[in-house]
Amino acid sequence: MDDVGKSLTKIIKERKWNEEFNNLMQNVMKDPDVVQFIQEHAEELDNPAIEKSAAKLYEFVNEKKKYQDNKANQLAPGYEPKLIMNHHYIDVTYVPTSELVAKQREKSIKNLIHSMDMPKGIREATLDEFQSTNERQEALIEAIKFVEAYTNEPKKFQRGLYLQGSFGVGKTYLLGAVAHALAKSGFPSTLMHFPSFAVEMKQSIGQNTTGEKIEAVKKAPILMLDDIGADSMSSWIRDDVLGVILQHRMQEQLPTFFSSNLAMEQLEEHLTFTQRGEDEPLKAQRIMERVRFLAKEVTMQGVNRRQQQYENE
Ligand code: ADP
Ligand code: MG
């Protein structure tokens, strides 16, 4: 090992390189990875080749140090520098670390979850981390059953879930966890906070974008409507937005989830009365027929887990 280092030092000296460079290269040549690499490739490397590779060796030693110290100014953060042979010279290549690979995978998973007006952390929810209690076990089991059935037979109609329960029991969290599990298998879903969507729809009237927005939601391969029934709806939102979306999804048999503080029966009552106070039980019944076709009601109970609020709530 020492021999290699010595002979290199000799070359550098003989060439009378300036002292600064000389000092730098002496350190580089002492680096155990450099020494080992040169030994391993002794047959392919002669002194002029090593000399010509000096800049690469220098880069390697420098970047390796930054990588090991986890410095912010690395040439390729998340990549570990490695020495390789490249046409008889030494070169540096950057190999993605397992953490980076995991991070990239997590990012591509998240990209399959389209969330609209949802809490920030929702795309990180996972079924594995869902803390189950007796009162929420049924919902978890149903969620897992859905993911299994859908990932096995995505073309076949699978009924979604209507998660019903009081504030803070984890309905939104469970929707996020289902979306995450589906994304892991490559299936995209759209999660949206229904009351915000309704407001956005109203604002888009007159901008000609209403139809476009409804189309996108209608056709989402998997749709999750969060917090339905939280606000009173206008008859327009109920019949021409929600009704149209659900009608299409029923016809096309597209999986649809809901979460609500209200049980289905209470939602029906809620939908009967519009913002203007009109009493329209038939209209409400029509919506509920679609909801019932699309989703199975599951009750979640338990304590309010909202000690820490989501960031954008
Ligand atoms: P809901 O939608 O029913 O009102 P959330 O899903 O917003 O309730 O949950 C409330 C809080 O509790 C959130 O901060 C959420 O991250 C957390 N939480 C809920 N359920 C779980 C769970 N099973 N495991 C871990 N954290 C949870
Ligand atoms: Mg919620």
Side-chain angles (χ1 to χ4, degrees):
M1 218 185 274
D2 268 335
D3 289 349
V4 182
K6 266 182 204 151
S7 65
L8 275 158
T9 314
K10 205 164 151 251
I11 308 167
I12 292 164
K13 278 198 176 136
E14 276 167 9
R15 297 280 301 207
K16 297 192 181 58
W17 281 344
N18 73 52
E19 211 166 314
E20 203 180 337
F21 186 75
N22 212 336
N23 288 339
L24 284 177
M25 285 318 288
Q26 286 205 358
N27 279 334
V28 167
M29 288 309 169
K30 276 188 221 142
D31 181 276
D33 289 329
V34 171
V35 172
Q36 194 189 343
F37 185 85
I38 292 176
Q39 278 192 333
E40 278 170 10
H41 296 86
E43 281 178 19
E44 302 154 78
L45 283 168
D46 51 13
N47 285 343
I50 296 173
E51 207 180 295
K52 281 207 169 127
S53 306
K56 289 293 179 182
L57 292 171
Y58 178 69
E59 174 186 327
F60 168 75
V61 172
N62 250 331
E63 288 303 316
K64 186 180 72 167
K65 181 147 185 14
K66 286 195 239 165
Y67 168 79
Q68 284 168 346
D69 298 345
N70 213 356
K71 287 267 168 57
N73 60 347
Q74 294 169 50
L75 269 182
Y79 292 81
E80 183 180 2
K82 288 248 155 66
L83 291 172
I84 49 159
M85 285 305 295
N86 184 3
H87 298 292
H88 311 295
Y89 296 110
I90 303 170
D91 204 347
V92 190
T93 183
Y94 291 87
V95 184
T97 56
S98 50
E99 299 96 79
L100 181 76
V101 172
K103 228 164 127 188
Q104 283 171 337
R105 190 174 137 70
E106 193 53 37
K107 201 172 157 209
S108 65
I109 289 174
K110 280 194 197 158
N111 286 342
L112 288 173
I113 307 174
H114 307 289
S115 63
M116 293 153 79
D117 302 303
M118 295 294 287
K120 251 193 190 159
I122 203 64
R123 296 193 302 172
E124 268 135 45
T126 62
L127 290 172
D128 293 342
E129 279 161 44
F130 184 83
Q131 293 152 5
S132 184
T133 57
N134 280 346
E135 298 138 311
R136 297 187 306 172
Q137 203 178 16
E138 189 196 350
L140 178 62
I141 291 170
E142 290 295 336
I144 293 170
K145 273 185 3 201
F146 175 89
V147 172
E148 272 180 14
Y150 186 80
T151 48
N152 285 336
E153 280 182 289
K155 294 251 154 65
K156 194 174 156 212
F157 174 62
Q158 312 285 356
R159 239 170 131 212
L161 300 177
Y162 180 103
L163 301 176
Q164 187 267 317
S166 57
F167 186 74
V169 290
K171 303 179 295 294
T172 302
Y173 185 94
L174 189 54
L175 290 182
V178 169
H180 197 273
L182 293 170
K184 267 191 181 166
S185 304
F187 298 107
S189 32
T190 301
L191 270 89
M192 57 179 215
H193 183 240
F194 190 77
S196 309
F197 177 68
V199 170
E200 200 189 312
M201 282 294 101
K202 269 187 242 162
Q203 285 166 351
S204 74
I205 302 176
Q207 287 172 17
N208 263 340
T209 51
T210 322
E212 234 172 79
K213 284 184 179 153
I214 296 180
E215 274 313 280
V217 173
K218 240 165 76 169
K219 293 182 176 157
I222 293 185
L223 179 67
M224 301 182 174
L225 301 180
D226 192 35
D227 250 344
I228 195 159
D231 286 351
S232 69
M233 275 178 231
S234 67
S235 53
W236 180 68
I237 292 289
R238 181 191 61 198
D239 305 328
D240 299 326
V241 177
L242 182 61
V244 167
I245 291 169
L246 298 185
Q247 173 67 20
H248 178 85
R249 301 191 67 81
M250 197 170 128
Q251 267 164 10
E252 300 298 318
Q253 307 211 327
L254 297 170
T256 310
F257 286 70
F258 304 85
S259 91
S260 183
N261 290 353
L262 306 175
M264 280 191 181
E265 232 172 88
Q266 295 169 307
L267 181 65
E268 180 157 350
E269 173 84 8
H270 176 87
L271 292 171
T272 300
F273 301 99
T274 65
Q275 270 170 353
R276 290 206 196 135
E278 292 145 330
D279 181 0
E280 298 176 321
L282 284 176
K283 296 262 171 86
Q285 259 174 40
R286 284 188 68 197
I287 300 282
M288 289 314 296
E289 256 166 40
R290 296 168 195 168
V291 173
R292 290 195 174 95
F293 175 89
L294 289 165
K296 174 178 177 183
E297 183 168 18
V298 183
T299 306
M300 287 173 81
Q301 279 168 358
V303 291
N304 181 353
R305 305 178 61 93
R306 239 178 257 226
Q307 301 101 339
Q308 286 170 296
Q309 295 248 318
Y310 287 126
E311 276 176 59
N312 71 347
E313 271 183 336

